[in-house]
Each structure stands twice: as C-alpha cells, then as structure tokens.
Amino acid sequence: MSDADKAVTHELTVQRLAGEMFREAAWAALGTFVLGVVVSTVIWGTAGLFGSLIGGAIAIGSSLATLLLMRKTAALDPMFVMVAALGGFMGKLLVLLLAVILLRNQSWLEPKALGITLVATVLVTSFLEARASKRSRSQMVVPASEGA
C-alpha cells in the first residue's frame, strides 16, 4: 500500500505537521542560539556566555518539547491533544519561572544574556513553526473517520 492509498487520519496529520515544523525551525533556532552566545560573550564575557548558554538551552528544549508532545499525543482524540498542549505550555512557563528564580542572583552569569538569548530563540522558533503550520499542506485534508 502506497502513501497515497493510506487513509489520512488525525494522527498522521499531526505527525506530518510536527515534522514540517521541526524542519522549518531547527536550523534557525540553532543559528539564533549561536548568535546569542557569540554576542553575549563579546559584550559580557564569561558571564554572558553562561547566561546565553542557559537561555538558549531552555528555549531550544522548550521548542523540542512542544514538537515531542505533538508526536506523542497525535494518536489521542483532538480534545486531549489540546489539553496536552495547554499542559505543555503551563509546564514550560513553570520551567522558565524556576530558572529565573534559581538563577536571578548568581554572579557567574549575566541575566540579560540569558533573557535576550531566550527570548530571541523562542521568537524565531515560534515564528518559523507558525509559518510552517500555515504553509502545511497536511492540514488541508479532512481526516477520514475510523469507521470509514
């Protein structure tokens, strides 16, 4: 059975979308992360390096967690996928809050470097993931029902 013969299900649609979003955003996220590390190191030295490494790691981890969550919940009912997405969003906010609380008074890192790299990487990644979602042809197909 070829790909064209397979019934398009909700699961397959979400899996394709997650793959397209990853391909669209991966290199730009890494590029933004590297740029943030280089600029922060030049401006703030070692403290900027550590801050930007942590900020970029949190941002890239956040993006990968979103795509992994999409893949893991693709087989569920669409309502549960949305519940998982909301839960993932809340989890990311808690991780960010914990990172800021735990690292705010550390002398070995620059909080501005952490924040700038984090925000820049999240914005670039989110924009490109949204653009991939908008351009995706996988969402233009009405999934077949299970009984059909």
Side-chain angles (χ1 to χ4, degrees):
M1 178 185 287
S2 70
D3 284 342
D5 296 334
K6 291 181 184 176
V8 178
T9 62
H10 175 260
E11 179 180 5
L12 182 60
T13 302
V14 173
Q15 294 284 353
R16 283 183 190 165
L17 179 60
E20 291 170 10
M21 290 168 69
F22 177 78
R23 283 188 296 280
E24 181 83 20
W27 289 110
L30 289 174
T32 306
F33 174 50
V34 169
L35 182 65
V37 168
V38 170
V39 169
S40 296
T41 304
V42 168
I43 295 173
W44 292 292
T46 307
L49 170 69
F50 292 140
S52 62
L53 285 174
I54 293 170
I58 291 171
I60 289 177
S62 169
S63 176
L64 290 176
T66 298
L67 297 173
L68 181 65
L69 187 66
M70 284 179 70
R71 287 194 169 278
K72 293 294 183 184
T73 61
L76 299 176
D77 185 76
M79 180 179 67
F80 292 116
V81 174
M82 295 307 295
V83 169
L86 181 60
F89 178 71
M90 294 303 295
K92 286 192 273 186
L93 285 178
L94 287 174
V95 167
L96 181 58
L97 180 64
L98 267 171
V100 169
I101 288 172
L102 294 175
L103 299 173
R104 68 180 167 191
N105 293 325
Q106 301 298 318
S107 60
W108 54 272
L109 69 82
E110 175 58 48
K112 291 177 189 167
L114 184 146
I116 291 169
T117 305
L118 175 79
V119 168
T121 306
V122 165
L123 285 176
V124 167
T125 305
S126 296
F127 171 76
L128 291 174
E129 287 175 350
R131 187 173 80 172
S133 177
K134 183 178 178 185
R135 290 181 174 181
S136 175
R137 298 193 54 80
S138 64
Q139 294 183 36
M140 295 180 189
V141 177
V142 176
S145 65
E146 294 295 324

